[in-house]
């Protein structure tokens, strides 16, 4: 239970940081989506129940301040968690590069799923795609830049909380 709580607290920190970055970038009409980071570590490292619980709580947190029907992020994050959890034995999950690649692919899938699901609500759906493409490129670049730090933060936080052993020791 402590592992789930500690993981959720790191996801809460990520949510706050991304909210602040999006607030600062709003003047440039950019929006950064890093949903892949909310799923990757929990799906690759944690047991199924604990990881899924952390991801569901993070999805509810993302739903709370997003202009989407409540439960959208919860459902998409749970689906992404299930897919990544089922393929995690085929991924070298102890390597940072592999984790970042998984995060990028999950982020791409989540971004496209949200975009296709919600673009129809736009008054001019065809004119929304260039903006969405710019947001996707920016999101993927930001995620590639931040993912190694955040994934290491999650691992180190679990060590500091006493629920995992230090792999460097």
């Amino acid at each position: 239970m402590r592992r789930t709580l500690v993981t959720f607290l790191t996801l809460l920190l990520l949510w706050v940081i991304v909210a602040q970055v999006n607030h600062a970038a709003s003047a440039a009409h950019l929006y950064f989506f890093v949903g892949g980071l909310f799923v990757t570590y929990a799906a690759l490292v944690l047991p199924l129940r604990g990881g899924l619980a952390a991801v569901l709580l993070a999805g509810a947190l993302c739903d709370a301040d997003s202009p989407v029907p409540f439960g959208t992020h919860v459902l998409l994050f749970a689906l992404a968690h299930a897919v990544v959890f089922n393929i995690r034995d085929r991924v070298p999950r102890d390597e940072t590069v592999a984790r970042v690649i998984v995060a990028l692919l999950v982020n791409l899938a989540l971004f496209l799923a949200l975009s296709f699901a919600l673009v129809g609500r736009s008054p001019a759906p065809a004119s929304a795609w260039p903006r969405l493409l710019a947001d996707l490129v920016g999101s993927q670049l930001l995620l590639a830049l931040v993912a190694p730090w955040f994934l290491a933060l999650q691992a180190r936080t679990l060590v500091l909380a006493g629920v995992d052993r230090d792999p460097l020791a």
Side-chain angles (χ1 to χ4, degrees):
M1 185 65 172
R2 213 166 42 160
R3 178 177 283 153
T4 302
L5 179 62
V6 170
T7 301
F8 172 69
L9 290 176
T10 62
L11 296 175
L12 177 64
L13 175 66
L14 175 66
W15 177 76
V16 169
I17 291 170
V18 171
Q20 292 302 312
V21 168
N22 279 329
H23 178 72
S26 66
H29 303 286
L30 287 174
Y31 176 79
F32 297 107
F33 177 78
V34 292
L37 279 180
F38 285 97
V39 175
T40 301
Y41 188 83
L44 288 178
V45 177
L46 299 181
L48 178 63
R49 291 177 90 180
L52 186 59
V55 166
L56 291 176
L57 289 171
L61 188 64
C62 291
D63 276 336
D65 76 336
S66 296
V68 298
F70 193 77
T72 303
H73 284 95
V74 172
L75 179 66
L76 289 174
F77 285 7
L79 181 63
H81 182 274
V83 169
V84 174
F85 187 85
N86 283 323
I87 65 164
R88 77 182 193 167
D89 292 332
R90 297 181 206 119
V91 175
R93 51 189 171 158
D94 293 335
E95 296 180 18
T96 302
V97 174
R99 289 179 182 181
V100 172
I101 290 171
V102 168
L104 285 167
L105 292 173
V106 170
N107 198 61
L108 175 66
L110 289 171
F111 187 93
L112 291 176
L114 278 169
S115 296
F116 280 113
L118 300 173
V119 77
R121 298 170 63 191
S122 171
S127 65
W129 284 108
R131 161 78 192 269
L132 290 172
L133 184 60
D135 288 346
L136 175 61
V137 170
S139 297
Q140 294 293 83
L141 290 173
L142 179 70
L143 190 136
L145 183 68
V146 173
W149 166 79
F150 185 70
L151 295 169
L153 173 77
Q154 286 184 299
R156 191 67 185 151
T157 304
L158 288 172
V159 170
L160 291 173
V163 293
D164 276 347
R165 63 175 185 80
D166 191 355
L168 301 176

